[in-house]
Amino acid sequence: MKDTHFKHLLELNIGILLISSSGALGRFIEMPVPVIIWWRCFIAVFFIFIFCRYKKINLKLISKKDVLPILLSALLTGAHWIFYFNALKHSNVAIGMLSLFTYPVLTALLEPLFVKVKFDHVHILLAVMILSGIYILAPEFDLENSNVKGILFGLLSALFYALRILISKRLIRNYSGTVLIFYQIFILTILLVPTLFFMDTSSIKTQFPYVIILALITTAIGHSMFIQSLKHFAASTVSILSSTQPIFGIIIAYLFLQEIPTWNTFFGGLIILSTVLIESLRARKR
């Protein structure tokens, strides 16, 4: 029993580690962001389709009523990725990932608008903590400053990610996470095709190996392992452990991109991750 638990825990942490590579890859790959996202989706949907066929996972929609929510979740996923990668391009991996990880508190704040749950006033305190963490990350609010741009893009990415989670909550009752991801990236592959005609795609010749890693390792394998862990752990447990993503991401960026976080990034990030940990622990007790 203990061996099985350890195995599932190891798989979850490997999945989190693989997903964390998105920060360094997103900053390193030299192509327009929408083009990166298209290649990521195009390649990943191929691998996930093969996986579904191998595992005999049914990809058919249960109801036509699910088409609109799935389409909306795909659009939110695309917006989340595009703003996240822009955050990485304008600042660095540490700021991009830490700004994104405001999403658990944003999700908690927005949830009463989507489902019948009572508003928790503690979330106001957590929001204030988030704002103080953001202030430390960028003490000077100057829109010409690249770090400020990165933070704003990261916060927008977090907002779209939070909305995607809330939309997906109803869908996950009838579909596995693998099926939802398949449809989300399949839709994005179609919607982003026009970007190939008016944006420069010539760099794919030199960037293809890194795009393959992003699509296969980060998206197909990483997200599949992460979603699979929900069968063995409570969502709150997964949420707590996933807060290590920025830490893994910063370490990967240091090893491969030689990015060293500043003390402001360290202290601001500590406050932001503390709010994630507090909210996750509170959710576990409910």
Side-chain angles (χ1 to χ4, degrees):
M1 191 72 176
K2 288 183 179 180
D3 290 341
T4 303
H5 176 77
F6 177 77
K7 179 186 175 184
H8 294 322
L9 189 63
L10 181 62
E11 288 173 350
L12 169 58
N13 279 282
I14 291 173
I16 290 170
L17 176 61
L18 296 180
I19 292 171
S20 303
S21 64
S22 66
L25 287 166
R27 182 156 172 76
F28 179 78
I29 297 172
E30 295 181 357
M31 287 194 297
V33 170
V35 175
I36 296 175
I37 302 300
W38 185 85
W39 278 106
R40 176 185 191 176
C41 293
F42 177 72
I43 297 170
V45 79
F46 173 75
F47 285 117
I48 293 175
F49 178 76
I50 292 175
F51 174 78
C52 289
R53 291 297 299 268
Y54 174 72
K55 289 287 187 178
K56 297 181 179 179
I57 297 173
N58 189 357
L59 291 173
K60 290 183 180 180
L61 294 181
I62 296 172
S63 171
K64 290 181 180 180
K65 293 180 181 179
D66 297 329
V67 172
L68 186 59
I70 288 174
L71 177 60
L72 183 57
S73 71
L75 294 173
L76 292 170
T77 300
H80 152 57
W81 279 347
I82 287 172
F83 279 111
Y84 173 50
F85 274 50
N86 271 296
L88 296 170
K89 297 290 187 184
H90 282 86
S91 54
N92 55 47
V93 173
I95 288 177
M97 294 193 80
L98 289 169
S99 299
L100 170 63
F101 261 77
T102 58
Y103 82 84
V105 176
L106 288 176
T107 304
L109 286 169
L110 292 169
E111 193 171 22
L113 301 176
F114 286 80
V115 293
K116 292 181 180 179
V117 295
K118 194 175 181 180
F119 180 76
D120 191 339
H121 290 85
V122 174
H123 292 149
I124 297 177
L125 175 61
L126 294 179
V128 171
M129 287 179 64
I130 287 284
L131 289 174
S132 63
I134 293 295
Y135 175 77
I136 293 172
L137 285 181
E140 290 186 25
F141 189 79
D142 181 2
L143 291 177
E144 296 300 317
N145 185 290
S146 60
N147 283 343
V148 172
K149 289 180 181 177
I151 290 169
L152 291 176
F153 280 128
L155 291 174
L156 283 170
S157 175
L159 174 61
F160 286 118
Y161 192 35
L163 291 170
R164 174 204 178 191
I165 289 171
L166 292 169
I167 294 294
S168 299
K169 269 192 173 184
R170 295 181 181 180
L171 293 169
I172 204 70
R173 298 171 188 169
N174 300 319
Y175 301 97
S176 69
T178 304
V179 172
L180 289 180
I181 287 177
F182 172 82
Y183 276 109
Q184 287 167 354
I185 61 178
F186 177 75
I187 291 169
L188 285 176
T189 301
I190 296 171
L191 293 179
L192 290 174
V193 164
T195 64
L196 302 178
F197 296 97
F198 61 84
M199 289 187 175
D200 183 17
T201 62
S202 59
S203 298
I204 189 61
K205 295 175 183 177
T206 57
Q207 303 295 304
F208 197 67
Y210 311 110
V211 176
I212 284 281
I213 295 172
L214 178 64
L216 177 59
I217 305 298
T218 309
T219 309
I221 299 177
H223 279 280
S224 294
M225 292 180 75
F226 183 80
I227 292 167
Q228 183 67 20
S229 69
L230 292 172
K231 289 188 176 181
H232 310 293
F233 298 101
S236 56
T237 303
V238 174
S239 178
I240 292 169
L241 292 174
S242 68
S243 64
T244 59
Q245 275 189 46
I247 299 170
F248 284 145
I250 290 169
I251 293 171
I252 293 169
Y254 172 73
L255 292 174
F256 293 97
L257 303 178
Q258 285 74 55
E259 285 190 359
I260 303 174
T262 63
W263 283 108
N264 276 28
T265 301
F266 175 79
F267 288 117
L270 187 62
I271 293 173
I272 291 170
L273 293 181
S274 295
T275 63
V276 175
L277 186 60
I278 291 168
E279 175 56 25
S280 300
L281 289 171
R282 291 179 72 251
R284 196 174 186 180
K285 293 177 181 178
R286 290 183 199 136

